[in-house]
Amino acid sequence: MAASGGRGKSGASMDKSITLPADEIFRNLENAKRFAIDIGGSLTKLAYYSTVQHRVAKVKSFDHTGKVTDADQALLYEISEQEEITARLHFIKFENAYIGTCLDFVKDHLVNTETKVIKATGGGAYKFKDLIEKKLGLKVDKEDEMTCLIKGCNFVLKNIPHEAFVYVKHADPEFRFQTTHPNIFPYLLVNIGSGVSIVKVETEDKFERIGGSSIGGGTFWGLGALLTKTKKFDELLQLAAKGQHTNVDMLVKDIYGGACQILGLTGNLIASSFGKSATVDKEFSKEDMAKSLLHMISNDIGQLACLYAKQHNLSQVYFGGFFIRGHPVTMHTITYSINFFSKGEVQALFLRHEGYLGAIGAFLKGAEEDNPNLYSWGENYAGSSGLMSTSPDVFPLQRSRSGTFDMLEMDRLERQLVNLPLLFDPSSYVPDTMDLTEDAMAREYWLTCFEDALEGVAKRAVASQPDAKDAVDRAEKFQQKYWNKLQTLRHQPFAYGSLTVRSLLDTREHCLNEFNFPDPYSKVKQKENDIALKYYQKIIRSLDTLGWEEKQFALVKGLLAGNVFDWGAKAVSEVLESDPEFGFEEAKKKLQVRPWLVDTYSAWIERLKGPPHKCALIFVDNSGIDIILGIFPFVRELLSRGTEVILACNSGPALNDVTYNESLIVTERIADMDTIIQSALQDERLILVQTGSSSPCLDLSRLDKSLAMLVKERRTDLVIIEGMGRAIHTNYYAVLQCESLKLAVIKNSWLAERLGGKIFSVVFKYETPPK
C-alpha cells in the first residue's frame, strides 16, 4: 500500500509486498453506507458498514393448481435460490504510512454511500483531518476517544465468542480463551497508549476514568529510543524479545545471595530495574536494555491495574492499546505482575481485536439510528484475518503482513441471540467438548479430516447448482480459500479463538456462502424427505402393535437409527453414495447392541413410568429419515403422554441438517397423515421454532431470543439434544437446570476410539439436574 501503489477498479495489488488484491482487503466497498476511522500514532483503523448480496436457499410447497410435471408431483417442495441483502461490518487496520493510498482507493470505489460525514477518533484524527476531508469529500466528525474505546470493547465482548484470552507463557497453547459471559459488567479497562488510562466500566453507557499514569507505551518508545537509538516501536519489541533482562536488572539474589525468606521474595524477583547499570562497569546490549525497560514498564502498569482493581472489587481486567500489540513478552510481564500483586485474585485478560476498539466505537456512535445493539453480530471467518502469531521469530512474513493490513468482518444476524434459560450456570458453560488448540493429536486428525473432505464438498457444491455456468470456478475458489484457512490454523490454532470441530465446520460454511453456495445438500435433503415420508405411516402402525416397554425401546432405536443418516460423516456418506437402497432397517442393524457406550436407558425408562413432562424442547439434527422416521414418532409418543413439544431446527442450512422452513413443510405433510400431530399443531401443543443457528453444532449461549422466551413461557422441563455435532462435539458436558437426554450414533472411527468405543457406538445420556 505504498504511496506509489496502483489504484483503480481492477483491484490490482496496491503494493508489491502484499499478496492480497486491494478489492479483497476493502471488500464490498461499492456498497459502503457509513464510515468511521480511528487514527493512532502509527496505525489507522478504518470501519465501514456495507451491504452484501448473496444467494440464499428457499423452499416452498409446490403449487399444484397450475401445470406441473409428474416429477414435480412426486416431490414434497420446490427449491430455489434467491438473492438476499444482508448487513456487514468491515474493519481494516494498516500503517499510517499508507493512509493516502488507502483513502485514494476508498474514494475511487465509493458508489452508494449514504453519508456526508465520517466519524473519527484517535489523536491522528486531528493530524489527518484535512487529508481525509480532501480525499473522501466527507466531513470529519470527531468523537471522544475514551467513549469510543468503551463502546467498542462492550461490542466485541458481547458479540465475539472467544474474544478475551489469558496469556500463559511456555504453555501449549499460550492462549487460553474465555467463554462469553452473559453479563460482561463490571470490568476494568486498562488502555495503554502513550500513557495509561484506567477506566471502570459499569454498564453499556456508564463508565469512569478512575486513574492512569504517564508511564506507558510512549515511555517505553521514548526511553528505548534514547537507550538503543532504535526509533521504531516494533523494532524495540523485537530487540526486547531477544534480550536478557537479568544482565541489566538487579535481582533479589544479587542483594541477598538468594531468596529473601522473611519477606517471601524469590531470588529471581527484580529488586531494581536497571540496578546493575550503576554498579557494573560494562557496555550493555541493546537487546538487554530493551528487555529490562519492557519489564519495568509492564510491571509498573500491572501493579497499578491490580491496585485499582482491588480498590473497586473488580476481578476482570482487560488490557488494550498500542503498547500490547499481541506481543508475548508484554503480555507475560503484565500477567506476571497482576498475578504477583493480587495473589491470583485478579485476572489479566487480553483481547483478540483490541486494535479495533476505537474504530468500532466510533462507528457505533455514527450508527445509533440503526440501533446496532438491537441485533446480534457474528465474526465472519471467511473475511477475517484472525489473530496472527505473536512471536517475532515465528512466521515473520505473516507478522510483517499483519503489521501492513489486518481485517475483521462481522455479519449482522437476522435474529437476536441469547442464552438458553435452562443452562445451569451460563457463566461456566462451554459448548465445545474438545479444544483442538490444546490437543495436538486431535488437532492434526481433524485438520487432515477436513482437508481430505474438501474435494468432495466442492463437488457437492457444484452438483447443487447444475444450471450455473460459473459453479465450477466458484467451487475452486471456495476450495482454495478454505484450504488456506486450514493451513493458517495448522500454524496458528488460536487465530479465531479456541479451535474446535464446531469452528472448523462454521468456517467451511462461511467460505461456501462466500462463493454463493448457500445449501449444497438441498437436493439431497429434498429427495430424502420425500422417500422417508412414504414410510411414516408404516412405521407408526408397526410401533402401535408393540407393548409399552417394547415400544419405548423401538422409539429410541428409531431415533438412533435415524441419526445414522448424516452426510457430514465420511463413513456414512460413502455408504449412501455407493448404496442408494441403504435405509432405516439397514441403519438399525449398524447400531451397537446394548449395553451401549454410554447407556442410561434404564434410568430413562424408570422416569417415563412417572408423571409426564410439562414441555420437551428437542434440538433436531438431519433431514429425511432422521426427523421423519426417528424424531416424529418420538414426538408423537411425548404428545400422547400429555407433554408439549418445542421442535427446534436450524435457521439456515448446514450439511444435510433440517432447516426451520423445511421442517414446516415436512410437519404439515405428516399432519395430513397423523391426527395426533395435526391436533397438537392446531392446539399449539407442538410448536416449531428456529434456533438462530446455521451450524451442524449447537451453542446454547447463542440461541434465538424468541426460542428462549418460549422455553420460559412453556416451563420446559426436558431438553433433548440429538446428533453427533450437537450432543458429542458440543454439549456433551453441558449441565442444565432440567432433565436432559443427549443421544447420538458415533459415525467417526477416530472419535469412537477416543471415547472408548467403535464406529456406530451409541451414546444415550439421560441426566437430571445437579442437586
Side-chain angles (χ1 to χ4, degrees):
M1 293 185 194
S4 60
R7 55 184 175 85
K9 305 289 184 183
S10 66
S13 290
M14 299 173 71
D15 183 275
K16 289 181 180 178
S17 67
I18 298 170
T19 56
L20 282 182
D23 57 1
E24 190 165 335
I25 300 167
F26 295 93
R27 286 155 33 104
N28 307 304
L29 194 57
E30 66 277 5
N31 297 318
K33 310 295 182 189
R34 200 172 290 109
F35 287 88
I37 197 164
D38 174 17
I39 310 178
S42 65
L43 290 176
T44 296
K45 286 76 69 176
L46 180 68
Y48 59 95
Y49 164 88
S50 183
T51 54
V52 183
Q53 191 170 22
H54 61 96
R55 287 183 202 165
V56 293
K58 299 283 187 181
V59 298
K60 67 174 183 177
S61 296
F62 272 104
D63 179 6
H64 293 301
T65 57
K67 185 178 179 181
V68 291
T69 66
D70 291 339
D72 288 339
Q73 286 280 15
L75 295 172
L76 175 62
Y77 53 80
E78 61 178 320
I79 305 166
S80 64
E81 289 187 0
Q82 300 172 17
E83 295 292 333
E84 192 171 89
I85 294 174
T86 54
R88 181 172 290 175
L89 297 180
H90 300 258
F91 303 98
I92 302 148
K93 181 167 62 181
F94 51 87
E95 294 167 16
N96 288 353
Y98 308 120
I99 190 169
T101 306
C102 290
L103 291 176
D104 276 337
F105 187 84
V106 171
K107 178 187 176 183
D108 282 357
H109 289 72
L110 280 186
V111 179
N112 299 315
T113 184
E114 297 173 348
T115 183
K116 299 297 180 187
V117 173
I118 181 169
K119 292 287 184 179
T121 191
Y126 293 104
K127 180 179 178 181
F128 293 100
K129 178 178 180 292
D130 292 341
L131 179 68
I132 295 167
E133 292 186 339
K134 179 183 175 183
K135 293 275 190 186
L136 298 186
L138 301 177
K139 182 179 180 296
V140 171
D141 187 5
K142 189 80 171 64
E143 292 289 344
D144 174 66
E145 195 169 352
M146 195 55 63
T147 302
C148 291
L149 202 66
I150 302 303
K151 273 190 171 292
C153 192
N154 291 342
F155 185 82
V156 297
L157 287 175
K158 287 193 301 182
N159 287 286
I160 304 183
H162 298 163
E163 171 63 27
F165 62 90
V166 297
Y167 181 79
V168 186
K169 189 179 179 182
H170 302 313
D172 187 15
E174 298 166 288
F175 301 85
R176 301 288 169 85
F177 293 94
Q178 309 294 294
T179 53
T180 305
H181 196 285
N183 183 13
I184 62 172
F185 306 109
Y187 66 84
L188 199 68
L189 178 64
V190 181
N191 191 58
I192 314 169
S194 298
V196 180
S197 287
I198 299 177
V199 185
K200 179 183 179 183
V201 184
E202 297 185 68
T203 66
E204 192 70 48
D205 300 307
K206 186 180 178 183
F207 61 89
E208 177 188 4
R209 186 183 189 278
I210 57 175
S213 172
S214 61
I215 302 173
T219 315
F220 172 69
W221 199 350
L223 281 178
L226 290 172
L227 289 167
T228 69
K229 309 304 179 189
T230 301
K231 295 293 184 181
K232 290 189 176 180
F233 191 87
D234 275 330
E235 287 180 12
L236 267 175
L237 287 176
Q238 289 181 15
L239 285 175
K242 297 172 185 174
Q244 178 55 262
H245 76 97
T246 55
N247 292 334
V248 182
D249 293 340
M250 185 176 290
L251 307 181
V252 168
K253 65 183 178 185
D254 294 323
I255 300 172
Y256 291 97
C260 180
Q261 303 290 353
I262 296 174
L263 297 177
L265 304 176
T266 63
N268 290 321
L269 198 67
I270 299 172
S272 174
S273 295
F274 286 90
K276 286 180 182 173
S277 60
T279 57
V280 178
D281 186 17
K282 72 168 192 175
E283 290 290 321
F284 296 96
S285 73
K286 293 180 180 181
E287 290 82 1
D288 292 347
M289 288 190 290
K291 183 69 164 280
S292 174
L293 183 61
L294 186 62
H295 270 282
M296 181 180 79
I297 290 168
S298 298
N299 279 323
D300 184 65
I301 293 169
Q303 182 175 21
L304 198 62
C306 177
L307 291 171
Y308 276 107
K310 298 199 80 165
Q311 182 184 0
H312 292 269
N313 296 314
L314 298 171
S315 59
Q316 294 187 112
V317 183
Y318 296 101
F319 289 87
F322 179 77
F323 181 66
I324 303 292
R325 297 290 293 278
H327 193 264
V329 178
T330 310
M331 293 190 295
H332 170 65
T333 50
I334 287 175
T335 300
Y336 180 88
S337 178
I338 285 276
N339 287 339
F340 179 82
F341 290 111
S342 76
K343 295 182 171 59
E345 292 178 9
V346 178
Q347 193 171 43
L349 292 158
F350 305 94
L351 301 169
R352 280 203 290 136
H353 299 105
E354 58 90 12
Y356 293 114
L357 300 187
I360 292 172
F363 172 81
L364 293 173
K365 286 287 287 183
E368 285 174 343
E369 65 270 26
D370 293 336
N371 294 319
N373 282 318
L374 293 182
Y375 299 94
S376 288
W377 299 78
E379 182 177 4
N380 184 324
Y381 298 130
S384 299
S385 302
L387 187 65
M388 294 295 177
S389 171
T390 55
S391 174
D393 301 318
V394 181
F395 312 117
L397 174 63
Q398 286 179 325
R399 186 162 178 82
S400 66
R401 279 180 53 193
S402 72
T404 305
F405 71 90
D406 187 66
M407 295 171 290
L408 165 65
E409 290 184 5
M410 298 189 71
D411 290 328
R412 191 176 78 188
L413 307 178
E414 288 184 20
R415 322 190 72 76
Q416 196 168 1
L417 305 183
V418 297
N419 279 302
L420 178 69
L422 296 171
L423 283 173
F424 187 77
D425 179 10
S427 64
S428 64
Y429 168 69
V430 177
D432 301 290
T433 304
M434 193 180 300
D435 187 342
L436 305 183
T437 47
E438 296 183 6
D439 191 329
M441 188 182 296
R443 178 169 71 245
E444 175 59 29
Y445 172 78
W446 285 110
L447 285 170
T448 302
C449 193
F450 278 88
E451 285 174 0
D452 292 345
L454 188 49
E455 188 175 345
V457 174
K459 286 179 180 177
R460 176 68 57 188
V462 173
S464 71
Q465 297 177 356
D467 300 326
K469 293 179 181 178
D470 64 342
V472 172
D473 181 54
R474 284 186 286 113
E476 287 175 356
K477 289 177 180 176
F478 150 73
Q479 215 170 333
Q480 188 60 54
K481 181 128 192 173
Y482 189 55
W483 174 266
N484 289 340
K485 292 287 178 185
L486 292 175
Q487 302 325 302
T488 295
L489 291 167
R490 277 193 182 280
H491 298 303
Q492 296 154 207
F494 46 78
Y496 301 102
S498 291
L499 180 62
T500 64
V501 173
R502 175 170 61 98
S503 67
L504 287 170
L505 285 164
D506 290 350
T507 303
R508 189 168 71 184
E509 293 300 321
H510 288 186
C511 291
L512 281 167
N513 283 315
E514 187 74 24
F515 296 101
N516 275 321
F517 292 109
D519 193 356
Y521 288 84
S522 56
K523 299 278 196 299
V524 172
K525 291 186 287 181
Q526 183 187 39
K527 180 182 176 183
E528 292 186 349
N529 284 329
D530 289 326
I531 292 171
L533 280 166
K534 293 180 174 67
Y535 293 95
Y536 178 77
Q537 287 176 304
K538 180 182 176 183
I539 295 294
I540 295 302
R541 284 196 297 269
S542 173
L543 287 166
D544 286 345
T545 64
L546 303 175
W548 186 81
E549 287 218 16
E550 195 180 1
K551 183 179 183 181
Q552 303 313 309
F553 186 69
L555 284 165
V556 166
K557 197 170 180 183
L559 263 178
L560 295 166
N563 191 241
V564 168
F565 293 83
D566 181 355
W567 282 83
K570 184 181 178 183
V572 174
S573 63
E574 287 176 349
V575 171
L576 296 176
E577 290 275 15
S578 61
D579 183 8
E581 300 301 315
F582 185 83
F584 196 40
E585 296 306 317
E586 286 77 8
K588 288 179 183 176
K589 293 171 188 173
K590 288 273 188 185
L591 296 177
Q592 177 188 21
V593 177
R594 287 192 71 196
W596 294 321
L597 180 62
V598 177
D599 193 337
T600 53
Y601 177 75
S602 298
W604 169 248
I605 286 297
E606 286 305 308
R607 171 62 187 87
L608 288 183
K609 292 174 183 176
H613 296 90
K614 173 74 177 68
C615 179
L617 167 63
I618 304 178
F619 289 100
V620 187
D621 193 1
N622 306 306
S623 283
I625 287 175
D626 194 354
I627 184 171
I628 295 167
L629 304 185
I631 290 291
F632 263 101
F634 193 81
V635 167
R636 189 178 188 270
E637 181 71 9
L638 289 172
L639 292 168
S640 299
R641 282 173 55 82
T643 300
E644 296 175 353
V645 176
I646 302 170
L647 215 57
C649 302
N650 270 10
S651 297
L655 295 172
N656 66 315
D657 292 3
V658 62
T659 64
Y660 170 70
N661 288 329
E662 290 161 356
S663 73
L664 292 175
I665 298 172
V666 166
T667 305
E668 182 184 343
R669 182 68 182 276
I670 290 175
D672 289 340
M673 298 186 280
D674 191 327
T675 55
I676 292 177
I677 299 296
Q678 187 178 68
S679 172
L681 281 173
Q682 290 170 348
D683 299 341
E684 294 188 341
R685 291 182 293 111
L686 171 59
I687 301 177
L688 277 65
V689 295
Q690 48 189 313
T691 61
S693 170
S694 299
S695 171
C697 296
L698 179 65
D699 184 348
L700 296 177
S701 68
R702 287 173 70 82
L703 292 177
D704 189 331
K705 190 175 182 179
S706 57
L707 165 58
M709 291 171 65
L710 186 62
V711 163
K712 278 184 176 179
E713 288 170 9
R714 295 292 172 119
R715 292 183 292 161
T716 302
D717 54 354
L718 173 64
V719 173
I720 299 170
I721 304 175
E722 180 222 6
M724 201 163 77
R726 290 164 178 77
I728 305 293
H729 290 313
T730 53
N731 298 302
Y732 190 72
Y733 298 116
V735 182
L736 302 177
Q737 297 174 16
C738 66
E739 295 172 55
S740 65
L741 196 56
K742 300 167 189 174
L743 42 93
V745 178
I746 304 174
K747 293 148 289 195
N748 177 283
S749 298
W750 182 89
L751 181 61
E753 288 176 17
R754 257 293 175 101
L755 296 173
K758 297 178 180 178
I759 194 162
F760 298 114
S761 288
V762 169
V763 170
F764 187 97
K765 199 176 185 187
Y766 168 64
E767 296 175 308
T768 55
K771 299 297 184 186

